[in-house]
Coordinates of all heavy atoms in Angstrom, one line a residue:
Chain A
A1283 N 29.3 20.0 -8.8 CA 29.8 21.0 -9.9 C 30.9 20.3 -10.8 O 31.0 20.5 -12.0 CB 30.4 22.2 -9.2
D1284 N 31.7 19.4 -10.2 CA 32.8 18.8 -10.9 C 32.3 17.8 -12.0 O 33.1 17.4 -12.9 CB 33.8 18.1 -10.0 CG 33.2 17.2 -9.0 OD1 32.0 17.4 -8.7 OD2 33.8 16.2 -8.6
V1285 N 31.1 17.3 -11.9 CA 30.6 16.4 -12.9 C 29.5 17.0 -13.8 O 28.9 16.4 -14.6 CB 29.9 15.1 -12.2 CG1 31.0 14.3 -11.6 CG2 28.8 15.4 -11.3
E1286 N 29.3 18.4 -13.6 CA 28.3 19.1 -14.3 C 28.4 18.9 -15.8 O 27.3 18.6 -16.5 CB 28.3 20.5 -14.0 CG 27.2 21.4 -14.6 CD 26.4 22.2 -13.6 OE1 26.6 22.1 -12.4 OE2 25.7 23.1 -14.1
E1287 N 29.5 19.0 -16.4 CA 29.7 18.9 -17.8 C 29.4 17.5 -18.3 O 28.7 17.3 -19.3 CB 31.2 19.3 -18.2 CG 31.3 19.9 -19.6 CD 32.7 20.4 -19.8 OE1 33.2 21.1 -18.9 OE2 33.3 20.1 -20.8
E1288 N 29.9 16.5 -17.6 CA 29.6 15.1 -17.9 C 28.1 14.9 -17.9 O 27.5 14.2 -18.7 CB 30.3 14.2 -16.9 CG 30.1 12.7 -17.3 CD 30.9 11.8 -16.3 OE1 31.5 12.3 -15.4 OE2 30.8 10.6 -16.5
M1289 N 27.4 15.4 -16.8 CA 26.0 15.3 -16.7 C 25.2 15.9 -17.9 O 24.2 15.3 -18.3 CB 25.5 15.9 -15.4 CG 25.9 15.1 -14.1 SD 25.1 13.5 -14.0 CE 26.4 12.5 -13.3
A1290 N 25.7 17.0 -18.3 CA 25.0 17.7 -19.4 C 25.0 16.8 -20.7 O 24.1 16.7 -21.4 CB 25.6 19.1 -19.7
G1291 N 26.2 16.2 -20.9 CA 26.3 15.3 -22.0 C 25.4 14.1 -21.9 O 24.8 13.7 -22.8
L1292 N 25.4 13.5 -20.7 CA 24.5 12.3 -20.4 C 23.0 12.7 -20.6 O 22.3 11.8 -21.0 CB 24.8 11.8 -19.0 CG 26.2 11.2 -18.8 CD1 26.3 10.7 -17.4 CD2 26.5 10.1 -19.8
L1293 N 22.7 13.9 -20.2 CA 21.3 14.3 -20.3 C 20.8 14.2 -21.8 O 19.7 13.7 -22.1 CB 21.1 15.7 -19.8 CG 19.7 16.2 -19.8 CD1 18.8 15.3 -18.9 CD2 19.6 17.7 -19.2
Q1294 N 21.7 14.8 -22.7 CA 21.3 14.8 -24.1 C 21.3 13.4 -24.6 O 20.4 13.0 -25.4 CB 22.4 15.5 -24.9 CG 22.3 17.0 -24.8 CD 23.0 17.7 -26.0 OE1 24.1 17.3 -26.3 NE2 22.4 18.6 -26.7
R1295 N 22.2 12.6 -24.2 CA 22.3 11.2 -24.7 C 21.0 10.4 -24.2 O 20.4 9.7 -25.0 CB 23.6 10.5 -24.1 CG 23.9 9.2 -24.6 CD 24.6 9.2 -25.9 NE 24.5 7.9 -26.6 CZ 23.5 7.6 -27.4 NH1 22.7 8.5 -27.9 NH2 23.4 6.4 -27.9
M1296 N 20.6 10.6 -23.0 CA 19.5 9.9 -22.4 C 18.2 10.4 -23.1 O 17.3 9.6 -23.3 CB 19.4 10.2 -20.9 CG 18.7 9.1 -20.1 SD 19.5 7.5 -20.2 CE 19.5 7.0 -18.5
E1297 N 18.1 11.6 -23.4 CA 17.0 12.2 -24.2 C 16.8 11.4 -25.5 O 15.7 11.0 -25.9 CB 17.1 13.7 -24.4 CG 16.0 14.3 -25.3 CD 14.6 14.4 -24.6 OE1 14.5 14.2 -23.4 OE2 13.6 14.6 -25.4
Q1298 N 18.0 11.3 -26.2 CA 17.9 10.6 -27.5 C 17.5 9.1 -27.3 O 16.7 8.6 -28.1 CB 19.3 10.5 -28.1 CG 19.8 11.9 -28.7 CD 21.3 11.9 -29.0 OE1 22.0 11.0 -28.6 NE2 21.7 13.0 -29.6
L1299 N 18.0 8.5 -26.3 CA 17.6 7.1 -26.0 C 16.1 6.9 -25.7 O 15.5 6.0 -26.1 CB 18.5 6.5 -24.9 CG 20.0 6.4 -25.2 CD1 20.7 6.0 -23.9 CD2 20.3 5.5 -26.3
K1300 N 15.6 7.9 -24.9 CA 14.2 7.9 -24.6 C 13.4 8.0 -25.8 O 12.4 7.2 -26.0 CB 13.9 9.0 -23.6 CG 12.4 9.0 -23.1 CD 12.2 10.2 -22.1 CE 12.3 11.5 -22.9 NZ 12.1 12.7 -22.0
I1301 N 13.7 9.0 -26.7 CA 12.9 9.2 -27.9 C 13.0 7.9 -28.8 O 12.0 7.5 -29.4 CB 13.5 10.4 -28.7 CG1 13.2 11.7 -27.9 CG2 13.0 10.5 -30.1 CD1 13.8 12.9 -28.4
Q1302 N 14.2 7.4 -28.9 CA 14.4 6.1 -29.7 C 13.5 5.0 -29.2 O 12.9 4.3 -30.0 CB 15.9 5.7 -29.5 CG 16.7 5.6 -30.8 CD 18.2 5.4 -30.4 OE1 18.8 6.4 -30.1 NE2 18.6 4.2 -30.5
L1303 N 13.4 4.9 -27.9 CA 12.6 3.8 -27.3 C 11.1 4.0 -27.6 O 10.4 3.0 -27.9 CB 12.9 3.6 -25.8 CG 14.2 2.9 -25.5 CD1 14.6 3.2 -24.0 CD2 14.1 1.4 -25.7
V1304 N 10.6 5.2 -27.5 CA 9.2 5.5 -27.8 C 9.0 5.2 -29.3 O 8.0 4.6 -29.7 CB 8.9 7.0 -27.5 CG1 7.5 7.3 -28.0 CG2 8.9 7.2 -26.0
S1305 N 10.0 5.6 -30.2 CA 9.8 5.3 -31.6 C 9.9 3.8 -31.9 O 9.2 3.3 -32.8 CB 10.8 6.2 -32.3 OG 11.5 5.5 -33.3
L1306 N 10.7 3.1 -31.1 CA 10.8 1.7 -31.3 C 9.5 1.0 -30.9 O 9.1 -0.1 -31.4 CB 12.0 1.1 -30.6 CG 13.3 1.3 -31.2 CD1 14.5 1.0 -30.2 CD2 13.5 0.4 -32.5
A1307 N 8.8 1.5 -29.9 CA 7.5 1.0 -29.5 C 6.5 1.0 -30.7 O 5.8 0.1 -31.0 CB 6.9 1.8 -28.3
D1308 N 6.6 2.1 -31.5 CA 5.8 2.3 -32.7 C 6.2 1.3 -33.7 O 5.4 0.6 -34.4 CB 5.9 3.7 -33.2 CG 4.8 4.6 -32.6 OD1 3.7 4.1 -32.3 OD2 5.2 5.8 -32.4
K1309 N 7.5 1.2 -33.9 CA 8.1 0.4 -35.0 C 7.7 -1.1 -34.8 O 7.5 -1.8 -35.7 CB 9.6 0.6 -35.0 CG 10.1 1.0 -36.4 CD 11.6 1.1 -36.4 CE 12.1 1.7 -37.7 NZ 13.4 2.3 -37.6
D1310 N 7.7 -1.5 -33.5 CA 7.4 -2.8 -33.2 C 6.0 -3.2 -33.7 O 5.7 -4.3 -34.1 CB 7.4 -3.0 -31.7 CG 7.3 -4.5 -31.3 OD1 8.3 -5.3 -31.5 OD2 6.2 -4.9 -30.8
G1311 N 5.1 -2.2 -33.6 CA 3.8 -2.4 -34.2 C 3.8 -2.4 -35.7 O 3.0 -3.2 -36.3
E1312 N 4.6 -1.6 -36.3 CA 4.6 -1.5 -37.8 C 5.1 -2.8 -38.5 O 4.7 -3.1 -39.6 CB 5.5 -0.3 -38.2 CG 4.8 1.0 -37.9 CD 5.8 2.2 -37.9 OE1 6.9 2.0 -38.5 OE2 5.5 3.2 -37.4
V1313 N 6.0 -3.5 -37.8 CA 6.6 -4.7 -38.5 C 5.6 -5.9 -38.3 O 5.8 -6.9 -39.0 CB 8.0 -5.1 -38.0 CG1 9.0 -4.1 -38.5 CG2 8.0 -5.3 -36.5
F1314 N 4.7 -5.8 -37.4 CA 3.8 -7.0 -37.2 C 2.8 -7.2 -38.3 O 2.7 -8.4 -38.7 CB 3.0 -6.8 -35.9 CG 2.2 -8.0 -35.6 CD1 2.8 -9.1 -35.0 CD2 0.9 -8.1 -36.0 CE1 2.1 -10.3 -34.7 CE2 0.1 -9.3 -35.7 CZ 0.7 -10.4 -35.1
G1315 N 2.2 -6.2 -38.9 CA 1.2 -6.3 -39.9 C 1.8 -7.1 -41.1 O 1.2 -8.1 -41.5

Side-chain angles (χ1 to χ4, degrees):
Chain A
D1284 54 330
V1285 294
E1286 181 131 349
E1287 210 170 313
E1288 183 177 2
M1289 289 293 144
L1292 294 180
L1293 183 61
Q1294 278 203 315
R1295 189 80 201 95
M1296 204 63 132
E1297 173 72 15
Q1298 286 164 353
L1299 295 173
K1300 185 182 67 184
I1301 291 171
Q1302 238 167 281
L1303 283 161
V1304 173
S1305 132
L1306 283 164
D1308 273 324
K1309 234 182 190 161
D1310 188 73
E1312 287 162 20
V1313 291
F1314 184 83

